[in-house]
């Protein structure tokens, strides 16, 4: 069975076709990458998969189930996590507090549990805390658990965002420019971390402009340009693809 | 500022002082003002749960306050129901109307939500003002009974009423404390922080927001019902938009999105207003600029401001320590810092 695929996925904003008829399959247990010039529709493509925008036409299928019309929170429950291009952590709270809530979707306690402080709530709070510490350790931030998120470096924020996504117990994570605004040596560390996710059995799908990193770690690459898929394949195939080179050299390419 | 002034200790201090307050003063006027302050605090807590912890600033809550008050008034005075039955029913009515209003209002966000609820609040006021056959309009409802006693306990004196209201206030604080420190509370705060992010981590924002909205209208309704039974006379003005701006002032001065903010803000503003009563018409000349300065420099009010100052100090210490000691201690200090939030 195909793990996750999109069929004829299209999104129009007024007259602007941000994503145009894209067929794409994600390979399970691998690093999949989406590249393309600014405004090519990459983030929009992620928004369609994670339920933030409803497509104008087409389908998203995850493990055989049509998730096209599901709301984002239901999609997250199915095991699809994502991060945003701009990380929006809660700066006034600690890293740990930011991440704990990531496991909320796997718990059941409600307002009555809260008011009566039932044993279920206490158990689930413990469970969320343990999960948060586990993922913080995984991303290498356990020493910063008590620090306010506002005081983190850009790279640490990215790692925290990863941790938050991982706290939801995902099978697949969509990372929108995970190394954006991060210096080269730190980029290597983040690449390693993504590899580590894959080793743990989580499928990774990312958007990136940092070509060197993509070519090194991606198993498969899709190239978007003006909302259309212009190429798909292994890194070396993409590197030598005429259309891709043209798209990047001509027009609006600034990457 | 030291750890002595954290929210737990402030609440404990408040409980102790409020318990002995009627014993150290014989001035019933002071007790009267204090009881009113407690009643407002309950409504302000409701507003805080919604605006402070979930990020939805409702300006309809004076309306829900009035619904609670009129619910109790009408059911006791006109329908001759027993006090506590009317009390419970008035809360249910408020909650039900809150549910209906919430379903519609929560389709909007941010300032649109604020403007929308402002209009709704005004509509509630108009309905109370104009529906004379039910509410007696501008004449108001007179002769609302004091709460029925339980056995030997009666609520006819100022003092006993004071303790009854205090009981409800402490209950509200306890409920707030527990909610804010639970997984549900974390979901609400996540919504306030970023609704998009909350959705991606699987939080049903629509359901959570509606729950908070209804709960906060219940607090407002409770506050209104207590008000009606305490003052024993209500007019449409209690639902006027001026009331919501008073509540908002208490909340903002104390600290929006903090647990002790409603306590501190309400007490401070109400007692200051009492002190400045002789300057009635100039009162706003003093409050206006003060409030503006506060919002500019301490957007999270007195409590938020104090917390920030404390945090900065801790961060400084942390840095000094980091020079000497290993990083373990650093994170340990940080972990203590985290407890200070709100
Ligand atoms: N919510 C929206 N409403 C209207 N137009 C939008 C919206 N989101 C994106 N667009 C448009 O869709 C197109 C694709 O945008 P998108 O953000 O997906 O590009 P991108 O490939 O992620 O670019 P970048 O590399 O700069 O992040 C752009 O023309 C953008 O202006
Ligand atoms: Mg983008």
């Amino acid at each position: 069975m195909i793990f996750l695929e999109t069929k004829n996925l299209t999104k129009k904003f007024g007259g602007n076709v941000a994503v145009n008829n894209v067929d794409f399959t994600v390979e399970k247990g691998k690093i999949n990458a989406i590249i393309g010039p600014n405004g090519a529709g990459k983030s929009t493509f992620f928004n369609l998969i994670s339920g933030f925008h409803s497509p104008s036409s087409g389908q998203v299928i995850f493990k055989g189930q049509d998730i096209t019309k599901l709301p984002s929170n239901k999609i997250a429950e199915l095991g699809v996590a994502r991060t945003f291009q701009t990380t929006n952590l809660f700066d006034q709270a600690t890293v740990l507090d930011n991440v704990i809530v990531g496991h909320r979707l796997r718990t059941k306690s409600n307002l009555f549990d809260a008011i009566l402080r039932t044993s279920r709530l206490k158990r689930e709070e413990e469970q969320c805390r343990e999960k948060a510490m586990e993922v913080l350790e995984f991303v290498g931030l356990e020493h910063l658990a008590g620090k306010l998120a506002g005081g983190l470096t850009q790279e640490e924020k990215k790692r925290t965002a990863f941790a938050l996504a991982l706290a939801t117990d995902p099978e697949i994570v969509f990372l929108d420019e995970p190394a954006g605004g991060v210096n080269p040596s730190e980029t290597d560390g983040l690449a390693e971390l993504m590899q580590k996710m894959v080793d743990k059995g989580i499928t990774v799908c990312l958007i990136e402009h940092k070509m060197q990193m993509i070519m090194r770690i991606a198993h498969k690459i899709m190239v978007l340009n003006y909302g259309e898929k212009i190429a798909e394949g292994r890194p070396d195939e993409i590197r030598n693809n005429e259309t891709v080179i043209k798209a990047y050299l001509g027009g609006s390419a600034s990457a | 500022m030291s750890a002595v002034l954290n929210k737990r200790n402030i609440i404990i201090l408040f409980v102790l002082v409020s318990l002995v307050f009627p014993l150290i003063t014989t001035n019933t006027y002071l007790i009267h003002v204090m009881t009113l302050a407690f009643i407002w605090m309950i409504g302000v807590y409701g507003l805080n749960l919604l605006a402070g912890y979930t990020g939805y600033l409702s300006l309809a809550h004076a309306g829900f306050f009035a619904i609670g008050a009129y619910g109790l008034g009408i059911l006791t005075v006109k329908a001759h129901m027993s006090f506590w039955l009317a009390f419970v029913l008035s809360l249910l009515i408020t909650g039900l109307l809150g549910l209906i209003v919430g379903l519609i209002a929560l389709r909007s966000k941010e300032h649109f939500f604020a403007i929308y609820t402002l209009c709704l609040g005004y509509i509630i006021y108009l309905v109370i003002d104009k529906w004379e056959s039910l509410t007696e309009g501008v004449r108001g409802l007179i002769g609302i009974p004091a709460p029925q006693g339980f056995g030997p306990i009666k609520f006819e004196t100022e003092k006993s009423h004071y303790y009854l209201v205090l009981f409800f206030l402490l209950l509200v604080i306890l409920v707030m404390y527990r909610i804010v420190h639970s997984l549900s509370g974390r979901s609400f705060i996540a919504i306030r922080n970023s609704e998009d992010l909350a959705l991606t981590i699987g939080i049903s924002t629509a359901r959570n927001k509606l729950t908070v909205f209804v709960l906060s209208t219940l607090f407002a309704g409770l506050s209104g019902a207590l008000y009606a039974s305490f003052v024993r006379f209500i007019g449409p003005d209690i639902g006027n938009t001026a009331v919501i701006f008073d509540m908002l002032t208490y909340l903002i001065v104390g600290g929006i999105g903090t647990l002790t903010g409603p306590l501190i803000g309400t007490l401070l503003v109400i007692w200051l207003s009492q002190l400045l009563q002789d300057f009635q018409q100039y009162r706003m000349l003093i409050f206006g600029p003060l409030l503006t300065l506060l919002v500019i420099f301490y957007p999270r009010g007195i409590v938020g401001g104090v917390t920030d100052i404390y945090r900065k100090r801790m961060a400084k210490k942390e840095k000094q320590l980091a020079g000497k000691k290993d990083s373990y201690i650093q994170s340990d200090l940080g972990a203590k810092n985290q407890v200070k939030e709100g």
Side-chain angles (χ1 to χ4, degrees):
Chain A
M1 184 171 58
I2 298 166
F3 190 52
L4 188 142
E5 68 174 325
T6 66
K7 286 185 187 162
N8 304 319
L9 205 59
T10 301
K11 179 67 184 180
K12 292 180 187 146
F13 292 113
N16 177 9
V17 189
V19 172
N20 196 357
N21 236 350
V22 175
D23 288 315
F24 180 58
T25 58
V26 171
E27 289 197 24
K28 189 174 178 179
K30 297 273 162 50
I31 295 181
N32 302 259
I34 296 169
I35 62 171
N38 289 110
K42 305 179 296 292
S43 295
T44 306
F45 184 67
F46 271 20
N47 284 336
L48 292 173
I49 293 175
S50 57
F52 266 87
H53 293 322
S54 53
S56 308
S57 60
Q59 280 179 309
V60 182
I61 292 165
F62 177 55
K63 294 201 293 184
Q65 182 187 354
D66 187 340
I67 61 166
T68 319
K69 297 224 155 52
L70 284 186
S72 312
N73 60 306
K74 292 282 171 219
I75 292 176
E77 271 178 32
L78 290 177
V80 180
R82 72 166 290 183
T83 64
F84 288 93
Q85 192 165 347
T86 47
T87 40
N88 39 9
L89 298 171
F90 180 30
D91 286 347
Q92 281 83 41
T94 62
V95 171
L96 182 63
D97 277 333
N98 265 285
V99 177
I100 283 179
V101 71
H103 201 58
R104 170 67 172 141
L105 80 170
R106 304 291 171 215
T107 62
K108 294 203 162 54
S109 61
N110 54 34
L111 215 53
F112 294 104
D113 293 279
I115 293 169
L116 303 174
R117 275 207 78 75
T118 60
S119 56
R120 172 163 80 168
L121 176 78
K122 288 181 193 156
R123 191 180 60 239
E124 289 184 345
E125 269 176 349
E126 196 45 45
Q127 182 190 334
C128 288
R129 190 169 292 271
E130 272 168 20
K131 187 64 177 189
M133 281 316 291
E134 176 194 319
V135 292
L136 280 176
E137 204 168 307
F138 185 84
V139 302
L141 288 186
E142 72 273 26
H143 60 292
L144 295 180
K147 201 170 168 184
L148 292 189
L152 298 181
T153 66
Q154 184 64 18
E155 183 242 6
E156 287 163 350
K157 281 186 179 167
K158 294 281 184 192
R159 284 180 186 262
T160 309
F162 282 16
L164 182 56
L166 292 175
T168 64
D169 276 344
E171 288 183 47
I172 179 168
V173 289
F174 287 86
L175 309 170
D176 196 343
E177 302 201 15
V182 160
N183 75 38
S185 65
E186 290 170 339
T187 301
D188 291 345
L190 291 174
E192 238 168 69
L193 183 54
M194 282 181 259
Q195 195 60 57
K196 200 170 146 193
M197 288 186 203
V198 168
D199 294 342
K200 205 186 161 206
I202 299 168
T203 306
V204 172
C205 188
L206 78 154
I207 294 173
E208 234 342 308
H209 285 295
K210 300 196 167 166
M211 228 36 99
Q212 272 183 325
M213 162 176 153
I214 290 291
M215 291 301 168
R216 194 159 50 79
I217 66 168
H219 179 78
K220 162 187 184 173
I221 298 172
M222 166 168 84
V223 189
L224 285 182
N225 192 26
Y226 294 111
E228 279 178 59
K229 177 169 95 178
I230 56 169
E232 183 175 3
R234 309 279 162 225
D236 45 330
E237 292 167 354
I238 297 297
R239 201 181 323 218
N240 304 318
N241 185 307
E242 286 288 322
T243 348
V244 175
I245 294 168
K246 247 188 226 153
Y248 267 91
L249 294 181
S252 65
S254 58
Chain B
M1 280 310 113
S2 64
V4 176
L5 267 187
N6 65 25
K7 64 191 159 201
R8 223 199 177 100
N9 294 349
I10 289 179
I11 291 173
I12 291 172
L13 184 74
F14 173 79
V15 173
L16 292 178
V17 171
S18 57
L19 279 176
V20 297
F21 182 74
L23 306 177
I24 47 179
T25 177
T26 46
N27 187 339
T28 48
Y29 174 72
L30 292 184
I31 295 178
H32 184 92
V33 174
M34 202 60 158
T35 312
L36 272 179
F38 290 174
I39 290 174
W40 287 117
M41 281 176 197
I42 293 174
V44 175
Y45 268 112
L47 200 59
N48 194 24
L49 185 63
L50 184 61
Y53 286 98
T54 320
Y56 276 72
L57 177 59
S58 163
L59 299 178
H61 272 51
F64 290 106
F65 175 86
I67 290 172
Y70 268 91
L72 182 81
I74 292 167
L75 291 176
T76 50
V77 174
K78 298 197 130 187
H80 307 292
M81 241 176 229
S82 73
F83 181 87
W84 290 109
L85 180 63
F87 189 82
V88 171
L89 276 181
S90 66
L91 294 191
L92 288 181
I93 293 168
T94 317
L96 188 69
L97 288 173
L99 179 71
I100 296 166
V101 167
L103 276 172
I104 306 164
L106 287 169
R107 288 165 176 268
S108 59
K109 277 182 189 159
E110 291 158 12
H111 38 283
F112 296 104
F113 180 82
I115 294 166
Y116 192 79
T117 48
L118 180 67
C119 298
L120 280 171
Y122 194 65
I123 291 172
I124 295 174
Y125 163 72
L126 280 183
V127 169
I128 291 173
D129 193 52
K130 303 294 177 217
W131 194 350
E132 290 193 12
S133 58
L134 185 73
T135 65
E136 300 298 323
V138 283
R139 268 171 293 146
L141 275 177
I142 308 167
I144 299 164
Q148 232 166 354
F150 301 101
I153 310 168
K154 299 226 161 34
F155 299 112
E156 263 128 39
T157 62
E158 291 276 350
K159 244 185 220 177
S160 56
H161 218 134
Y162 171 95
Y163 282 113
L164 179 72
V165 170
L166 180 61
F167 165 77
F168 279 108
L169 173 63
L170 295 183
L171 196 68
V172 163
I173 296 177
L174 179 73
V175 166
M176 276 293 288
Y177 191 93
R178 288 195 163 175
I179 289 177
V180 169
H181 291 98
S182 72
L183 289 175
S184 304
R186 285 182 186 277
S187 310
F188 304 157
I189 295 172
I191 292 173
R192 174 189 69 185
N193 174 34
S194 159
E195 246 179 288
D196 283 348
L197 190 61
L199 273 173
T200 55
I201 55 173
I203 290 171
S204 167
T205 53
R207 212 184 51 216
N208 276 287
K209 286 186 317 194
L210 191 61
T211 310
V212 174
F213 192 87
V214 172
L215 197 65
S216 79
T217 59
L218 272 179
F219 283 7
L222 173 64
S223 163
L226 287 171
Y227 180 89
S229 71
F230 181 62
V231 178
R232 319 271 294 264
F233 162 81
I234 48 174
D237 274 353
I238 60 166
N240 205 328
T241 38
V243 173
I244 185 67
F245 289 110
D246 278 345
M247 290 167 84
L248 209 53
T249 307
Y250 304 157
L251 182 57
I252 288 172
V253 168
I256 192 163
T258 66
L259 261 175
T260 49
L263 286 183
I264 291 170
T266 311
L267 278 181
L268 200 73
V269 178
I270 286 191
W271 284 111
L272 265 182
S273 317
Q274 288 299 322
L275 287 177
L276 299 176
Q277 224 171 17
D278 296 340
F279 314 94
Q280 195 60 297
Q281 62 269 56
Y282 306 110
R283 223 178 38 163
M284 275 305 146
L285 271 182
I286 302 171
F287 271 153
L290 271 184
L291 196 62
T292 316
L293 288 177
L294 193 77
V295 170
I296 294 171
F297 293 106
Y298 296 106
R300 294 210 313 143
I302 295 171
V303 175
V306 169
T307 314
D308 284 349
I309 293 169
Y310 175 78
R311 263 198 191 140
K312 270 188 200 132
R313 285 216 183 154
M314 289 305 273
K316 243 192 211 162
K317 266 193 204 164
E318 203 176 307
K319 257 191 203 137
Q320 287 167 354
L321 265 178
K324 301 172 201 157
K325 306 208 171 165
D326 61 358
S327 65
Y328 176 74
I329 291 179
Q330 228 190 102
S331 61
D332 189 34
L333 262 179
K336 271 190 203 133
N337 245 355
Q338 144 210 0
V339 186
K340 297 288 297 172
E341 218 260 312

